[in-house]
Amino acid sequence: MVEVRHLSLRQAGRLIHDNISISFGPGVTVLLGPNGVGKTTFLEGLLDPSSLRQRAILLDGRSVDDEQSIRDYYARVGFMPQRWRFFAGFTVLETVEYAAWLKGYRSDRLRAAALTALEWVGLAHEARSKVRKLSGGMQQRVGLAEAFVNDPRVVLLDEPTVGLDPAQRVLFRRFVLAKSGDRAIILSTHLTDDVEATARRVIVMSPGGIAFDGAPAELAARGRETRGVGSALEAGYLAVSGEPGEARG
Amino acid sequence: MLRILVRVGFRGPASAGGIAVALLTVWLAIAAMAPGLRLWTDLVTGLSSASLYTGPLVAGVTAFDAARWSSFSRARSPFSAQPVMIVRLVHAVSVAIPIIAGYVLGVGVLAIYATVTNVYGNPYAPWLLAVGSAIVVAIGFGYSVGSVAGTYWFVPPAAALAFYAVLVASRSLRLSYGVISLFPYVTNIDSIFVEYVTSTMIGEIVLWVSLATLLIMLAQRGIRRIATVRSIALVAGLVAFALIGGHLVLQSDGQYTVGHNPGDFVCKTGALTVCLNPGYAQALPELYSQFRQLNMRTAGTALVAHRLEQNVEGVGDDPGTGARSVYLEQFGSRKDVELAAYRYVTKYGATPGCVSRGIEHESQSTTEAIEDVNAWLSGFTDAVAGFSNLSHFGRLTSMATHAGNVWFRAHQREYFACTLRLADLP
């Protein structure tokens, strides 16, 4: 589905990732790793091929390397940033309609696409409400609707469950699982609960590159010492990331 | 999408900006009407001068709206399947529409007001469009400042002040008219007695709209963008349009109008014929009466008026065969009519003789004597208001009409030759 070849990423001149080659198929892939390891940088690199010095991304086997293919790529990728921002003047429906327009939808299809996405996240009844009047959790769900409004092939979610209460987190995980059948969903998180609930695959990033890439059960199996640790998955994470303390994302 | 954004724009501060533009436009245009007259040209003059205030106001409002939008937009538009410049332009247009609608509403209200109150004439469409495009360039300026500078509280007032300062500075520096007219502040005076220099107005419209679009497209902060061939071509096209517009303005030296007599008159005929533009028709009886009085004093001399046609002073002064020009700017009081008569006697009386003799040959005595006579003939006493000795003028005005005419005929040679002295006066 989406493939990265020999990707190197820098931030403020500092090399964050060097020569990463990896591909993502259908299903949920969770990125774990300590703070500052470059999970967001990696997602942003995937999000915007035009920002890369090298032409390193392929979507469905086709290189994303010129103006037209980059535009097509944008139209087929969904993204929800760590800090999702909304426009105070917009209603829920207008926010998602605008996202659909940015993804290349024609004006006559905006309303239908936006309402479908809002139904997916259970917010159709709030379509006419101003986003600023919603709770934090509901605002996150508007962000999720925005990320899925174009029915994307690849969805990038940067810590999407932060700030959600347990009930909303359950709804979120169900939604992501339901939508992961025919698309690649790449999700960064601090919470190993998210891995257990959604992931087909988990990647642990470390300063040296990718420390682990496999199924959640394989990661759990790496855990040698589980005493004082929340779960086998966290123990596995600590073992592969080399972090001394409790599991952090 | 534009439809949705425009709806949002109408809900936001741009809408308040549009209402303010409408109010300012109507208020300043009506305030500019000459006393006693109802002329579209006065409304257009007021509309033009309003751009000194609507421009800064609009710059501030759009700076606020653009800043409010920018952080939301920056998080999305760089990864948009739509070209980034189109994304920006669509939003800028959605902010501009409520403001432009305010201007159109203002002009519409003026049109209704003009119809209801029988205002004479019609506005000239390119002039109205030029005033509108001065607002458009203010939108472009404010939008670009807001996009770049962000959501600090001082950005909108700073944008408004900067725009105002540029307009004022453009007037206070010693620049040529052509260069001054490149700035988006239409100050020219519209009049019935002019022909429009359309190329200047078209040049300003092209320049200001192109400049506004360029400012909006190029002022981007922190956006990685693909410089598409299409967007580069669009920028190049806008630069070319701006240069063409600027060239047109400079070529005509920023001139908006040239003097011209349209010859559209209503006349009052009797002892003499006085013809005024229909917009000034209500001044006809008083002006006729004033000149009949003047004719009685000047009977038997070259200063008698037979047919008077309202005209423009200076360039474009073109009375018909056998007619003389009369200049009437407004009709608020009797003084305006007396001033018109005074202008007549200075144009057709002694002044040409004084000019041909040269100023150095003209003594103080002659100057005062000529002015006393001109003020007496026309009834415009302000002409002698600064004189220390008004005894001669007093004796002139106290003469009966017939006696005055006898005296003037006796001294017309000295008067027209500009050799009249105070000692010659009664």
Side-chain angles (χ1 to χ4, degrees), chain B residues 22 26 30 40 43 102-116:
Chain B
V26 171
I30 292 176
W40 250 114
L43 290 176
Y103 173 67
V104 173
L105 174 69
V107 174
V109 169
L110 286 177
I112 293 167
Y113 170 82
T115 307
V116 170

Side-chain angles (χ1 to χ4, degrees), chain A residues 6 12 48 57 70 73 76 95 103 119 143 145-146 155 158 177 190 196 198 215 220 242:
Chain A
H6 309 296
D48 188 9
I57 294 179
I70 289 172
Y73 181 81
R76 299 169 75 190
T95 303
K103 291 299 178 185
E119 278 169 20
E146 191 181 324
V155 183
D158 196 0
L177 268 180
H190 285 267
E196 287 176 277
T198 60

Side-chain angles (χ1 to χ4, degrees), chain B residues 50-66:
Chain B
S51 53
L52 179 63
Y53 308 103
T54 53
L57 173 88
V58 162
V61 168
T62 48
F64 177 76
D65 235 350

Side-chain angles (χ1 to χ4, degrees), chain A residues 44 47-48 50-51 67 70-71 74-75 79 81 84-91 94-95 97-98 101-105 107 110-111 128 130 146, chain B residues 1-5 7-8 11 65 68-69 71-73 75-84 86-87 90-91 224-230:
Chain A
E44 286 176 351
L47 173 66
D48 188 9
S50 75
S51 68
E67 184 195 327
I70 289 172
R71 294 236 173 276
Y74 288 152
F79 177 57
W84 182 77
R85 292 170 193 270
F86 59 89
F87 180 62
F90 268 168
T91 64
E94 286 162 352
T95 303
E97 281 182 303
Y98 183 71
W101 179 71
L102 288 180
K103 291 299 178 185
Y105 275 55
S107 291
L110 296 179
R111 170 87 27 119
R128 307 282 172 192
K130 287 277 175 65
E146 191 181 324
Chain B
M1 191 62 226
L2 183 61
R3 181 179 49 81
I4 296 169
L5 287 176
R7 200 171 60 219
V8 174
R11 291 202 301 256
D65 235 350
R68 205 165 72 105
W69 176 262
S71 63
F72 168 79
S73 180
R76 290 162 178 80
S77 56
F79 324 117
S80 163
Q82 308 280 2
V84 174
I86 297 299
V87 173
V90 166
H91 180 252
R224 293 188 297 265
R225 57 198 173 275
I226 306 164
T228 64
V229 174
R230 217 166 20 169

